[in-house]
Amino acid sequence: MMSVRLTPYLVLPGTAGEAIAFYEKALDAQVLFKQTFGEMPANPEFPIGEEQKHLVAHAMVQVGESQLMFSDTDAGRPIQLGDQVTICITTKDASLSKRYFEGLKDGGTVIMDLHEAFFSPAYGQVKDKFGVTFHLFTEGEAMN
């Protein structure tokens, strides 16, 4: 059986760090990973202002047997209705991520093309025809 997980992904307007601390207390959440925009490799195409470096770029917490992912909105990108909770589909197979991405974009909108990123061999974002945003995340090292 292929390994596929669907994980709720909460995008917050600068309050992801507060939300994570809240869930640590309220739900006994354990932080598995947390990286701020300031801790990410610098990208000249997307410069980060000093006031945004403390914001959460990506985090994962464990609650019981489930996981939640978090990030703050990118600088200057307000949250659109329906985007506050998105779904991350995680696989270990880039070809499966591509198949899911292609299926979901039928009648939908590509937010970020499926591509190799520093954190994944195949990552992309697509909003399906129902307005639901999916992140396709392939586990494993990118071929840098």
Side-chain angles (χ1 to χ4, degrees), residues 37-106:
F37 284 105
E39 293 167 336
M40 289 174 51
N43 182 344
E45 293 178 37
F46 299 100
I48 302 294
E50 280 302 316
E51 72 285 354
Q52 295 156 331
K53 289 189 175 179
H54 73 282
L55 296 176
V56 175
H58 180 68
M60 181 180 285
V61 303
Q62 183 85 26
V63 180
E65 295 178 18
S66 299
Q67 294 173 341
L68 283 173
M69 293 181 180
F70 294 85
S71 71
D72 283 310
T73 52
D74 292 350
R77 257 185 48 197
I79 295 176
Q80 299 296 313
L81 189 62
D83 287 351
Q84 189 173 5
V85 177
T86 60
I87 298 171
C88 184
I89 300 176
T90 302
T91 76
K92 290 179 172 18
D93 179 349
S95 62
L96 185 59
S97 293
K98 180 172 175 44
R99 185 165 63 95
Y100 287 166
F101 185 85
E102 294 298 321
L104 289 166
K105 78 177 194 179
D106 182 23

